[in-house]
Amino acid sequence: MPDLYERDFYSWTQKQADLIREGRLAELDLDNILQELESMGRSDYRTLQSRLTVLFMHLLKWHFQPEKRKQGCSWERTIKEQRKQIGRLLLDCPGLKSKLDAMLPVAYERALEDAHDETDLPVSLFPKQCPWSFQQTVDKNFWPSKS
């Protein structure tokens, strides 16, 4: 069975499903099933972290470059889309909420680098720590403004 996993992943998945349906649990390729299950969870984690990074980066650009924002601009569309996708992901995978405390600082740090790269603004201009709560960040009515 592990050979089928390496040669034809799709057929391997179908075979595993058939074995479960038939109650032939002793024949399951448990090592590879476990690996795939863990991989699925890591994928959702990475997706959420990536979406948070993009959201933070665009919020930073929105906040620190007010002269470049316009109604309906791509930043606004990106912010709205990331918020929607983050909300959907957390609805589908509520267990990820327990990972937010560890994930947010990493996503924000990456967003700082990306915002610097995209704007050419000095990194020192941006707050070292995220100035917004998670709730603000995903709130569709929250739009940071330069004070």
Side-chain angles (χ1 to χ4, degrees):
M1 190 72 64
D3 186 45
L4 181 59
Y5 175 82
E6 297 296 329
R7 286 184 293 109
D8 184 352
F9 181 75
Y10 175 78
S11 294
W12 174 84
T13 63
Q14 301 311 296
K15 178 67 176 172
Q16 299 309 299
D18 289 343
L19 290 171
I20 292 169
R21 274 190 212 94
E22 295 166 8
R24 296 165 51 195
L25 304 182
E27 297 176 51
L28 289 171
D29 181 3
L30 293 179
D31 288 338
N32 285 319
I33 290 172
L34 178 61
Q35 180 180 328
E36 290 303 321
L37 287 172
E38 289 172 338
S39 176
M40 289 167 54
R42 284 190 301 273
S43 176
D44 289 338
Y45 184 96
R46 284 191 303 270
T47 298
L48 179 57
Q49 190 163 56
S50 175
R51 289 195 177 280
L52 285 166
T53 298
V54 172
L55 177 56
F56 284 143
M57 177 186 64
H58 282 81
L59 288 172
L60 285 166
K61 292 191 311 186
W62 181 273
H63 184 72
F64 286 96
Q65 291 188 308
E67 71 282 359
K68 293 194 175 187
R69 60 174 113 120
K70 306 180 226 37
Q71 184 70 21
C73 72
S74 66
W75 294 352
E76 182 179 357
R77 288 190 305 274
T78 299
I79 290 167
K80 288 177 179 179
E81 181 62 20
Q82 295 309 312
R83 286 174 169 165
K84 277 194 273 185
Q85 294 302 325
I86 288 167
R88 289 176 184 156
L89 186 55
L90 290 174
L91 279 176
D92 291 344
C93 307
L96 285 172
K97 290 177 185 175
S98 68
K99 304 295 182 187
L100 285 171
D101 286 344
M103 188 183 295
L104 292 171
V106 174
Y108 182 75
E109 185 176 319
R110 291 175 181 171
L112 287 177
E113 294 171 23
D114 294 345
H116 165 69
D117 290 345
E118 286 199 16
T119 64
D120 288 328
L121 293 172
V123 174
S124 60
L125 178 67
F126 303 117
K128 288 186 185 347
Q129 295 182 334
C130 187
W132 313 295
S133 70
F134 174 73
Q135 291 306 322
Q136 286 176 307
T137 302
V138 296
D139 181 346
K140 69 180 182 177
N141 296 313
F142 174 73
W143 295 91
S145 58
K146 188 125 170 100
S147 43

